Amino acid sequence: MVSDEPIKPIAIPKIESPEIVALGQKLWFDPRLSKSGGLSCNSCHNLAMGGTDNMPTSIGHKWAEGPINSPTVLNSGLAIAQFWDGRAKTLQEQAGGPIENPLEMASTHDHVVKVLNSIPAYQDEFKGAFSDYTDAITIEQVTRALANF
């Protein structure tokens, strides 16, 4: 490789906690994060279709049509800001938005935490993944896992 190349290859990130990444992957595909129990993150950011839904505008809760299309999530951790308008600075901050958006997943953070805390397998996985796990799953842990995935 020539040292004066203007574009440098992206460094492969070191995975600090594979348990958190695996938990984020499980949450990514879990429709219980949505109010209806029928939509997951992958519904609009389908990893098999380049991290998008390939639609002009995305479809959310109760077939609500969003105002814009879903951006790809591939390499989104390298973006300087999240969402089309840049309103979230980090992936973790972004991860909580669609859960509560009435046109997207239409749930609430409280509901998601309540649902996940009712599932013993999730409690065990969060406990194993997060050193700051006390007696219950938090929305901060959920969004951190999603962002790490």
Side-chain angles (χ1 to χ4, degrees):
M1 175 194 220
V2 179
S3 63
D4 62 347
E5 285 290 325
I7 299 174
K8 306 290 183 221
I10 297 170
I12 297 172
K14 182 179 184 291
I15 297 175
E16 304 278 328
S17 177
E19 299 85 7
I20 293 176
V21 174
L23 182 55
Q25 181 179 16
K26 187 173 183 178
L27 291 167
W28 182 265
F29 291 99
D30 195 332
R32 291 174 288 197
L33 299 184
S34 69
K35 183 177 183 177
S36 68
L39 297 169
S40 71
C41 301
N42 200 64
S43 298
C44 293
H45 304 283
N46 189 323
L47 299 180
M49 295 193 304
T52 71
D53 58 11
N54 291 325
M55 297 177 66
T57 58
S58 297
I59 304 298
H61 182 68
K62 292 189 175 183
W63 299 101
E65 189 172 332
I68 58 175
N69 67 341
S70 298
T72 183
V73 293
L74 301 182
N75 291 322
S76 59
L78 301 174
I80 58 170
Q82 304 299 317
F83 291 112
W84 283 115
D85 61 5
R87 69 184 177 272
K89 290 187 170 119
T90 67
L91 277 178
Q92 183 171 354
E93 184 183 341
Q94 185 281 333
I99 292 170
E100 291 193 310
N101 186 313
L103 296 177
E104 296 179 37
M105 297 173 91
S107 190
T108 66
H109 291 168
D110 288 340
H111 178 73
V112 166
V113 166
K114 188 181 291 185
V115 168
L116 295 178
N117 276 304
S118 75
I119 303 168
Y122 264 130
Q123 287 182 340
D124 291 343
E125 289 179 63
F126 274 84
K127 189 178 209 173
F130 290 99
S131 60
D132 62 346
Y133 182 90
T134 53
D135 60 347
I137 297 165
T138 66
I139 195 63
E140 290 77 18
Q141 292 164 337
V142 171
T143 57
R144 182 173 166 207
L146 286 167
N148 274 263
F149 171 66

